[in-house]
Amino acid sequence: MENTAAGITPNANTHDKPGTGINVRIRDEFWTHYIKLVQEVVIPYQYEALHDRIPGAEPSRAVSNFEIAAGRKQGEFGGFVFQDSDVAKWLEAVGYSLQLERDPELERRADELIALVGEAQQEDGYLNTYFTIKEPGQRWTNLNDCHEMYVAGHFIEAAVAYYEATGKRELLDIMCRMADHIDSVFGPEEGKLKGYDGHQEIELALVKLYGLTGEERYLKLSQFFIDQRGTQPHFFVEEWERRGRMTFYGGPTNKINLEYNQSHLPVREQKEAVGHSVRAVYMYTAMADLARLTGDSELEQACRRLWDNIQNKQLYITGGIGSTHHGEAFTFDYDLPNDTVYAETCASIGLIFFAKRMLNLSPDARFADVMERALYNNVLGSMAQDGKHYFYVNPLEVWPQACTCNPGKHHVKAQRQGWFGCACCPPNVARLLTSLNRYIYTVQGDTIYTDLYIGSELTADLPQGTVRVTQVTEYPWDGKIVMEIEPDQEKTFGLALRIPGWSGSGIKVNVNGEELTAGEESAQVRQGYMVIRRSWRQGDRVEVQLPMEPFRVYAHPQVRADARKVAVQRGPLVYCFESADNGVNLGALALKQDSPLTDAYDASLLGGAVTIGSRGSRLEESEAEQGLYTRSRPAVKEVPVQAVPYYMWGNRGDGEMRVWVEEE
């Protein structure tokens, strides 16, 4: 089939934003540190990990599989059936990194890897090393388990990012051929499979490919996969019957769990987030994209229902989702255990994707609030400060001995790992942080919405002309944000400032030194944003002051795990208590209800951070030998307590950690 990408030109400035050309460069001390860490440490480290050259780390075998599939060497397939996706996500991170800063050596390595991927592609466009090497006659026979389109989706995302960065079409051509092959196999037409992938990803990727190429077939194919999911007769059930009720992983089974991959109902009928959390939010992301592009109000309403269920009933305070390691899944409303939680890093990243697409649909600060919560806490906390160690699971309570001795907590780690056999999370972090500039602003019509307070330079093409906005801040440590507005000529448009949900009514805003009052004609509050609409001129200056005092947080009474407990937050950052600061047995620690919370900047703490101190109490252990149970209440002594940002935990050795503690 003819390559439909012919004739396109790179357009790295659109950033998949609706309605406008937009370019954002991050100039932020806090985030520049982490982006540089990804560029200088994470991407090179992961390149070595993909090549199985990290001493002591679990081998990836991802690149080796491509070498075998390409005929460069002999051997057997290694790793998971979806191992190819690790290479794809690394290439996507490279694409975003090169958009920020050209690096000839990194580009050379990526080009070599892309050439290898091209050699592994089959003549008909099919690309998947597992089925090329191990089961060449079984492609498209087990969509429920084998992730063929999931892998293809990640490579499509990589192809778009790399083309936008370099203008080189090799990977884009490879993935257009693969997309064309998929389109020849699946669809509503007679003779095509009426199926969809067990692990959603292809749907959102095809939307990106459509956005770059303008090829309508890719958008229609994405919509087909979304529309077909969960309809009757059920494709996964029919496929399972054809395989003799055999699964890829565990032999014969009496039934398949349709909720696990959100195929239990047509997507427009789904009301609660269920099943594997990453699959869910990847699908919801595509649904929101399609709702925006096609004007499908029914699909949009489904997105809103599912969002409300996650935010109001299944979201951890850290922005994590997925409360059980059994299936890496949602369970039920208000079931949010702290010590057996899963909260996979990829799930929070997918939640950020979903939030951004909902903002593209209709700016609403609650979407940006969750995006910020997940970014600053769960996602950032998943990577060690050295950039070389990672959490797959992001717990809110850790007792190291329980992690090693209790089989029910084997998935929880007290230390970040060097690599994983299933290494979806580390490259996911890399691709998110290198593309973080795409999440700061949303432009709708003639209004610029500030979704995240990150130091940056924005250039946006509004209907009235080009506008440049420079944002300067020391967020998240300081709540002062300064924005300088530079239109190419005097013009009237809107600048919308998010009022963070954690800030209450404490936001203060002035323009050119004149304080604005929320609700006045030129500063209307809509959907959690203060929208300043006026005639802007070169040099206009907006100052925002957000309250940065630490505060206590309490969970809904139905969250059993957090009943009578308290957590601490300051700005967007959730804090935690570590044994490094508070001694062992954090279960004996309580925070006094009437004790004030005090914050102080500690330059010596892992490069510098604001810590929170207060007064608490601790149950004392008797010096005399004491039985396991007694009629005497343990003595209590008053102690100082200290909390550090959750994202920093686990960087000072093996120790206990808790986000929620008793309050007395």
Side-chain angles (χ1 to χ4, degrees), residues 84-151:
D84 292 1
S85 62
D86 292 349
V87 173
K89 281 184 279 190
W90 184 84
L91 285 169
E92 186 182 356
V94 169
Y96 295 136
S97 180
L98 293 175
Q99 289 181 36
L100 302 178
E101 183 179 4
R102 297 306 289 263
D103 181 336
E105 176 58 22
L106 179 61
E107 195 170 328
R108 182 191 65 77
R109 288 183 171 186
D111 288 344
E112 290 179 352
L113 197 50
I114 289 168
L116 174 62
V117 171
E119 290 177 34
Q121 187 170 33
Q122 303 300 289
E123 289 186 7
D124 61 357
Y126 182 84
L127 179 65
N128 187 290
T129 67
Y130 175 84
F131 286 98
T132 298
I133 298 169
K134 197 164 185 175
E135 295 191 75
Q138 297 299 311
R139 59 163 83 165
W140 309 129
T141 59
N142 189 345
L143 299 183
N144 188 60
D145 296 333
C146 290
H147 293 34
E148 288 163 274
M149 283 189 278
Y150 165 83
V151 171

Side-chain angles (χ1 to χ4, degrees), residues 15 17 24 96 208 349 352-357 359 368 371 375 431-433 435-442 449-452 454:
H15 289 184
K17 305 291 179 69
V24 182
Y96 295 136
K208 283 190 175 183
I349 291 171
I352 289 171
F353 296 162
F354 183 26
K356 181 56 184 166
R357 298 328 197 275
L359 287 167
M371 183 167 68
L375 176 65
R431 71 177 180 138
L432 176 67
L433 295 186
S435 62
L436 185 59
N437 58 324
R438 300 172 178 235
Y439 296 84
I440 301 173
Y441 297 96
T442 302
Y449 289 83
T450 308
D451 300 321
L452 296 176
I454 294 176

Side-chain angles (χ1 to χ4, degrees), residues 282 345-354 379 425 428-429 431-432:
Y282 279 11
T345 303
C346 285
S348 280
I349 291 171
L351 182 62
I352 289 171
F353 296 162
F354 183 26
V379 173
C425 296
N428 229 352
V429 173
R431 71 177 180 138
L432 176 67

Side-chain angles (χ1 to χ4, degrees), residues 196 225-232 234 262-271 283 287 298-299 302 305-306:
Y196 37 88
F225 289 136
I226 289 294
D227 290 345
Q228 191 69 18
R229 194 172 205 89
T231 59
Q232 299 294 334
H234 201 288
Q262 299 78 40
S263 62
H264 57 300
L265 289 170
V267 299
R268 289 169 179 78
E269 298 177 19
Q270 297 185 25
K271 298 178 181 179
M283 182 179 79
M287 289 166 60
E298 193 177 4
L299 199 57
R305 287 195 305 270
L306 292 162

